[in-house]
Amino acid sequence: MRKIFIAIVRAYQIATSHTAPRCKYYPSCSNYTATAVGRYGLKGFAMAVWRIVRCNPWSQGGVDYVDEHLDCADVKNLLIDNEKEVVGAN
Amino acid sequence: MSFILNPLYDIVSGVIVAIHKALAPIFGANSGVTWSLSIMGLVVLIRIILIPLFVKQIKSQRALTALQPHMKEIQKKYKDDRQKQSEEMMKLYKEHKTNPLASCFPVLAQAPIFFSLFTVLNGIAKNKPHGFLKGDYLVSAAQAKFFGAPISQSFLGSSQTTVKIVTVLLIAFMSGTTFTTQRQLMVKGMPKMDSSNNMMLQQQKIMLYLFPIIFAISGVNFPVGVLIYWSTTNLWTWGQQFYVIKRNPTPGSPAYEELQRKRAHKAKLAGKTEEGIDQSEASEPEVLGQRQQPKKKKKKK
C-alpha cells in the first residue's frame, strides 16, 4: 500500500517536472509526502496533508524535513565524513 | 468521500446553472452556445479568484533582485552539495520574508473542482443529476452542442464523426497551448541556467514534448464539456503568462533583459524628443544592469 502510494507521488513528480519549481518548502511537498508515508504510513499521510495546507500563498516556506535529525544536509554530510574516516583508518 | 464532494458538486453545478440562467435570454435556453459559455464562465470565475495569489507571487519575484548577490554566494559556497544549496536558499527566502515560488495548495485545491466538473458533466451524459443540474436543465444540457458535438459525449464514447473531429481539435488546442506556455516559460521566462542545471533543462525538454502526448491519451476519455473547461484554463494560463513575461518578467530571465533594453531605448528616444521635460523619469531606466528596487527589506536577525 505504501509502495503504491509512493509510486503515485513519484508519477506526479515526473508528470509535473516540466513546469517551473513550485513548492515553497525544501524538500518539496511531494518529496515530503513520499518520505513521510514511507516512514510512518497513515500518520505520515496526515503529516503530508498538513504540510500541503501549510504550503499556501501566505506562508513563507523554508526548510522543513520529516525528521530533522535524519534528513538534514549537515547530518548527511557528517555521516559521509565519518565513513571516510573509517575507510581512512583501515 | 461524498461529504466533501457533494458541496463541490453543488458549487460547480450552481455556477454553471447561474451563468446559464443569465445567458439564456441572449442565446436561448437550449443553445449549445449558452452551455459552452457557462462552462467557460466557470473557468474564468475560478481563475479570477486565483489572480490575487498570482499577483502576490509576481511581487515576491520582483523582490528577488535584491537577494541576487546572496544567492550567488550560496551557489558558490555549496556548489558540490545540491541539498545544502537548496536548504540555504530556502533559509534566505525565509529570512527576507519573500518566496518567489508559488505554493502547492492552490494547485491541489483545484483538483477536486476539476474532478467534480468531470463528474457533473459525466452525469449529463448518463442522465444522472448532480447538485443544481437536474430536471429540465439536465435534459437541456444533454442535447447542447459545441460546434455540432454534444457536450456530454466523449471521443471513445461516441460513434459520431462530429464528436471525434471536435474532440481531436480540442485536444490539439489543449496540447498546443500547454506546449507554447511551457516553451515560452523555458525560453524567456526563467533565469538563465548554468551548466549545473543543464541536466534538469534536458529533462524538462523531454517532458515538454511528452506532455501533449499524455494529454491526447487521457483526453479521449473526457466528455467535450470537460475538454472545453480544460482548453479555456490553458488559454487563460497562456495569456496570463504572456502578459507577465512581457510586462513584469522574473529578474535574471532573458525577457527581463529585453524589457530593460526596451525601456532604456524608449527613455533615450523620449530624452531626445522632449529634452528637459521628463529628466527624472527618463534617467531612471537608463541605468543598465541591476535596477534599484524601490523597497529593499532589511536583513532581520
Side-chain angles (χ1 to χ4, degrees):
Chain A
M1 193 58 197
R2 286 182 194 190
K3 274 183 185 166
I4 296 168
F5 189 79
I6 291 169
I8 294 170
V9 174
R10 295 276 176 240
Y12 161 83
Q13 288 182 326
I14 292 167
T16 54
S17 61
H18 64 283
T19 54
R22 160 167 290 278
C23 193
K24 285 194 161 179
Y25 285 95
Y26 185 84
S28 67
C29 288
S30 49
N31 269 328
Y32 184 96
T33 307
T35 318
V37 171
R39 246 176 234 163
Y40 299 110
L42 202 62
K43 186 196 160 205
F45 181 73
M47 287 163 78
V49 171
W50 176 233
R51 162 56 118 60
I52 290 167
V53 173
R54 275 183 297 145
C55 189
N56 60 53
W58 296 273
S59 80
Q60 269 149 27
V63 181
D64 174 43
Y65 285 110
V66 180
D67 298 295
E68 186 84 39
H69 59 282
L70 288 178
D71 302 317
C72 118
D74 291 335
V75 173
K76 275 188 182 164
N77 288 341
L78 201 71
L79 288 176
I80 293 167
D81 285 347
N82 280 347
E83 253 169 48
K84 269 182 199 159
E85 265 170 40
V86 172
V87 172
N90 287 340
Chain B
M1 232 16 209
S2 66
F3 73 96
I4 308 172
L5 287 174
N6 273 336
L8 278 174
Y9 294 154
D10 284 350
I11 293 169
V12 167
S13 58
V15 169
I16 291 178
V17 167
I19 298 172
H20 179 268
K21 256 187 196 154
L23 292 177
I26 308 170
F27 300 107
N30 292 331
S31 157
V33 178
T34 317
W35 283 110
S36 307
L37 284 178
S38 304
I39 296 170
M40 289 174 189
L42 177 71
V43 177
V44 171
L45 195 74
I46 293 171
R47 299 308 296 256
I48 285 175
I49 291 169
L50 287 174
I51 281 180
L53 306 184
F54 197 69
V55 171
K56 206 170 154 6
Q57 189 199 343
I58 299 301
K59 276 194 182 142
S60 47
Q61 267 181 358
R62 299 215 78 187
L64 265 193
T65 348
L67 292 185
Q68 217 101 55
H70 294 282
M71 284 160 72
K72 286 229 172 81
E73 205 176 284
I74 289 173
Q75 267 167 357
K76 223 163 115 189
K77 200 168 170 190
Y78 302 107
K79 61 170 180 264
D80 298 324
D81 190 349
R82 296 275 300 165
Q83 192 188 354
K84 188 78 191 162
Q85 202 178 314
S86 320
E87 261 184 26
E88 290 297 321
M89 211 73 107
M90 286 297 178
K91 276 182 194 157
L92 183 74
Y93 292 151
K94 195 168 184 176
E95 206 174 278
H96 291 257
K97 289 192 194 305
T98 174
N99 200 319
L101 301 162
S103 35
C104 306
F105 188 67
V107 188
L108 290 173
Q110 272 183 83
I113 295 179
F114 185 75
F115 182 73
S116 7
L117 182 82
F118 183 74
T119 318
V120 168
L121 290 172
N122 252 352
I124 298 174
K126 290 188 183 122
N127 207 14
K128 224 167 104 191
H130 286 286
F132 294 96
L133 202 62
K134 55 193 173 191
D136 285 346
Y137 282 118
L138 199 61
V139 179
S140 165
Q143 53 76 43
K145 281 174 180 162
F146 179 75
F147 289 109
I151 57 170
S152 53
Q153 297 290 317
S154 67
F155 182 86
L156 291 181
S158 166
S159 51
Q160 287 179 48
T161 333
T162 9
V163 174
K164 304 230 173 207
I165 294 170
V166 168
T167 45
V168 165
L169 284 179
L170 277 173
I171 290 169
F173 181 76
M174 266 157 51
S175 311
T177 40
T178 319
F179 184 84
T180 25
T181 307
Q182 286 163 23
R183 237 184 77 89
Q184 192 181 31
L185 184 72
M186 273 172 56
V187 175
K188 286 185 170 171
M190 283 204 287
K192 273 186 190 142
M193 301 252 184
D194 50 10
S195 52
S196 66
N197 287 348
N198 231 342
M199 220 179 71
M200 212 173 87
L201 195 72
Q202 208 63 40
Q203 229 175 2
Q204 283 187 327
K205 257 185 195 155
I206 297 169
M207 283 315 296
L208 180 67
Y209 292 97
L210 200 67
F211 212 66
I213 299 171
I214 298 170
F215 245 0
I217 295 167
S218 54
V220 288
N221 289 305
F222 293 155
V224 174
V226 175
L227 296 182
I228 295 173
Y229 173 93
W230 211 343
S231 305
T232 319
T233 310
N234 280 353
L235 188 67
W236 184 286
T237 311
W238 176 81
Q240 197 170 265
Q241 190 186 277
F242 184 79
Y243 179 81
V244 168
I245 282 183
K246 271 272 175 311
R247 303 293 302 273
N248 211 341
T250 318
S253 63
Y256 184 71
E257 284 162 18
E258 199 177 300
L259 185 73
Q260 283 200 323
R261 261 204 306 278
K262 233 186 243 168
R263 275 191 187 154
H265 186 66
K266 228 185 200 171
K268 243 184 211 167
L269 283 181
K272 263 180 196 165
T273 47
E274 305 169 41
E275 245 174 320
I277 295 170
D278 266 326
Q279 274 297 348
S280 58
E281 244 185 53
S283 63
E284 189 234 356
E286 261 175 15
V287 184
L288 280 169
Q290 279 218 324
R291 209 174 73 89
Q292 276 265 292
Q293 286 295 305
K295 269 184 275 173
K296 192 170 176 180
K297 278 171 189 152
K298 284 221 171 89
K299 214 175 185 178
K300 232 181 110 186
K301 274 269 158 179

